[in-house]
Amino acid sequence: MAGPPASLSARDVGSFAYLSVKDRSPQILTKAIDTLHRHKSEFFEKHGEKGLEAEKKAISLLSKLRNELQTDKPIVPLVEKFVDTDIWNQYLEYQQSLLNESDGKPRWFLSPWLFVECYMYRRIHEAIIQSPPIDDFDIFKELKDQNFFESQESVIALCTHLQELRKTIEDLDENQLKNEFLKVLQISLWGNKCDLSLSGGEHISQKTNIMNSLEDLKPFILVNDMDHLWSLLSNCKKTREEESVTQVDIVLDNSGFELITDLVLADFLLSSKLATKIHFYGKTIPWFVSDTTIHDFNWIIKQLKHSNNKWVSQCGVDWEDHIKTGRWVYLDHIFWTLPHEFSAMSQVAPDLYAALQKAHLIFFKGDLNYRKLTGDRRWEFTIPFHEALSGFHPAPLCSIRTLKAEVQVGLQPGQGEQLTASEPNWLTTGKYGVFQFDGPL
Ligand SMILES: O=P(O)(O)OC[C@H]1O[C@](O)(CO)[C@@H](O)[C@@H]1O
Ligand SMILES: [Mn+2]
């Protein structure tokens, strides 16, 4: 049997992966360096001379990294001891083992894009942890926070919608409840347009009320398995015995506006009794610019709670309560910031795989999760999603993703080709989205 197709890689000159490594990645590193510069006086105030020295050190490590990338140097092992250092270095050896003698060592413009891109973010983290006392500085924090502040209008609209809905949710009939469910799902999908790594760290936020755009955006949903999600969860609700649990896991992506949309979805699942428990998974280190860490998660809920808008602050209060009562649980695991595709999870992180198996449904938010679900490979557009998952089936799962990388599976025959003919960049602009489900029907 033929193995899976080749990985996306910057070795394909002109591909999106190539352009990302060539242009976007150095741009992100330059922005990171600039951020350190701008926080110089803050480091001085906090730590005195030691803070200044640390800032210099982190900047020089990041400049070195940018140079290695731009000159296509070999990928070097991580040096600073951290929980995942050994796993990373083993993975590097594994990448080496995949190469022919003539290829030499794994390199930025040769190795799989997924690997080198994850490696870049891990090296950014290494530069920071090698620079105490600023070793807990989140270089992307201010960008994430700005994204939240700039999306205020949409945040207010969403929180108002949710709070109004909560008042009458018990009175909705089956059909009305389903419609509301489909709405919050779509909100969460389009929330994924707002990641900051695609824009190279340039601001993109949700300035207008997303609720008004849902109908207009429907034609851009290329795979729409929302009905399966409804069947699954409404069935759980109907057949659930008292005291028993319906658990939905949400593997989070970006903080800022997208996180709000995910929390709205999570609240709706509880309020509608479609689920009784939500597990959120975030990142343990700053990742792909805008990804959610526990600090972002807590920060955003606190911001909401202290808002002047009564609906927004009510959301903050309710969500804190969900956490206190254990109906919402935030979890993290180093696996999410490793370079492995998800088909390796049961081997590399069996504890996480076992935890996910307890869910009735898992939502995977965003593009990077899609790339890891499918192994970031050059699959044919029509290959079934189930097959592209290459054995990763911990529980029924659904990818909620806007397209920002050249991988897409599970399309109808001709659908991909048609899109390519009319819109050559359809795979990478975030304009299109999918709800792609895998599980027993
Ligand atoms: O936040 P998301 O949706 O995972 O998007 C991140 C994606 O954006 C990019 O930076 C742009 O393609 C990809 O590297 C990555 O897959
Ligand atoms: Mn992201």
Side-chain angles (χ1 to χ4, degrees), residues 150-351:
E150 286 170 9
S151 309
Q152 279 314 293
E153 188 190 329
S154 231
V155 171
I156 293 173
L158 285 189
C159 292
T160 309
H161 176 77
L162 179 69
Q163 292 298 338
E164 299 279 354
L165 188 60
R166 272 170 143 242
K167 280 195 254 169
T168 55
I169 202 158
E170 304 273 342
D171 309 326
L172 299 185
D173 65 27
E174 183 88 350
N175 222 359
Q176 289 168 320
L177 195 67
K178 178 176 173 186
N179 274 333
E180 293 301 337
F181 174 61
L182 300 186
K183 259 193 227 164
V184 287
L185 279 173
Q186 289 168 80
I187 289 167
S188 167
L189 169 65
W190 299 120
N192 180 244
K193 273 191 178 181
C194 291
D195 93 277
L196 296 166
S197 63
L198 183 62
S199 59
E202 288 304 320
H203 301 184
I204 43 166
S205 49
Q206 184 63 41
K207 297 220 171 59
T208 55
N209 180 356
I210 199 168
M211 303 277 307
N212 299 333
S213 318
L214 297 183
E215 275 310 307
D216 296 341
L217 290 171
K218 272 209 178 124
F220 302 111
I221 302 176
L222 300 179
V223 179
N224 187 347
D225 290 339
M226 284 196 289
D227 277 344
H228 299 326
L229 304 176
W230 169 254
S231 307
L232 190 152
L233 290 179
S234 62
N235 211 23
C236 284
K237 180 176 170 180
K238 276 183 212 141
T239 55
R240 187 167 58 225
E241 317 235 312
E242 218 168 299
E243 302 293 312
S244 70
V245 172
T246 302
Q247 181 183 319
V248 173
D249 290 7
I250 305 181
V251 182
L252 295 170
D253 185 5
N254 304 307
S255 183
F257 181 68
E258 180 172 356
L259 178 57
I260 300 287
T261 67
D262 297 335
L263 298 179
V264 166
L265 168 63
D267 185 293
F268 177 85
L269 292 174
L270 292 188
S271 316
S272 61
K273 304 200 172 64
L274 288 168
T276 59
K277 188 168 200 171
I278 312 290
H279 281 183
F280 298 99
Y281 285 97
K283 307 293 196 291
T284 38
I285 62 173
W287 197 244
F288 279 69
V289 186
S290 38
D291 285 16
T292 306
T293 64
I294 182 67
H295 304 292
D296 302 321
F297 188 87
N298 291 335
W299 180 88
I300 259 187
I301 294 180
K302 216 175 177 183
Q303 288 298 315
L304 297 183
K305 205 174 138 192
H306 295 126
S307 163
N308 297 327
N309 178 289
K310 68 171 180 175
W311 300 128
V312 176
S313 74
Q314 189 58 48
C315 283
V317 171
D318 293 344
W319 296 353
E320 212 175 66
D321 193 53
H322 292 336
I323 296 167
K324 277 196 195 121
T325 55
R327 281 171 294 174
W328 279 10
V329 183
Y330 179 97
L331 299 157
D332 47 27
H333 193 289
I334 55 158
F335 182 79
W336 305 116
T337 49
L338 292 175
H340 303 70
E341 46 197 273
F342 291 163
S343 62
M345 186 191 287
S346 58
Q347 291 287 317
V348 179
D351 56 329

Side-chain angles (χ1 to χ4, degrees), residues 42-111:
E42 182 190 314
F43 297 144
F44 182 68
E45 275 156 35
K46 244 176 142 179
H47 311 287
E49 279 302 322
K50 287 213 155 55
L52 293 186
E53 279 161 32
E55 181 244 14
K56 264 200 212 129
K57 177 160 185 201
I59 288 179
S60 85
L61 290 168
L62 291 180
S63 310
K64 183 167 170 290
L65 173 61
R66 185 177 53 188
N67 182 269
E68 286 172 29
L69 184 158
Q70 288 183 311
T71 54
D72 198 20
K73 291 276 177 333
I75 306 284
V76 294
L78 299 174
V79 290
E80 185 73 16
K81 192 97 202 93
F82 195 65
V83 273
D84 60 354
T85 311
D86 293 341
I87 308 178
W88 265 97
N89 290 342
Q90 273 160 24
Y91 190 80
L92 176 53
E93 278 172 28
Y94 163 70
Q95 283 297 333
Q96 172 77 69
S97 75
L98 298 179
L99 295 176
N100 300 324
E101 291 237 325
S102 58
D103 288 330
K105 296 209 166 301
R107 295 192 320 269
W108 297 88
F109 286 83
L110 171 82
S111 296

Side-chain angles (χ1 to χ4, degrees), residues 124-153:
I124 295 176
H125 185 62
E126 184 168 80
I128 297 295
I129 58 176
Q130 282 186 300
S131 308
I134 62 163
D135 46 346
D136 62 349
F137 184 66
D138 179 349
I139 225 160
F140 303 125
K141 176 96 181 103
E142 61 183 15
L143 282 170
K144 294 185 266 195
D145 295 357
Q146 255 164 34
N147 174 282
F148 168 74
F149 290 125
E150 286 170 9
S151 309
Q152 279 314 293
E153 188 190 329

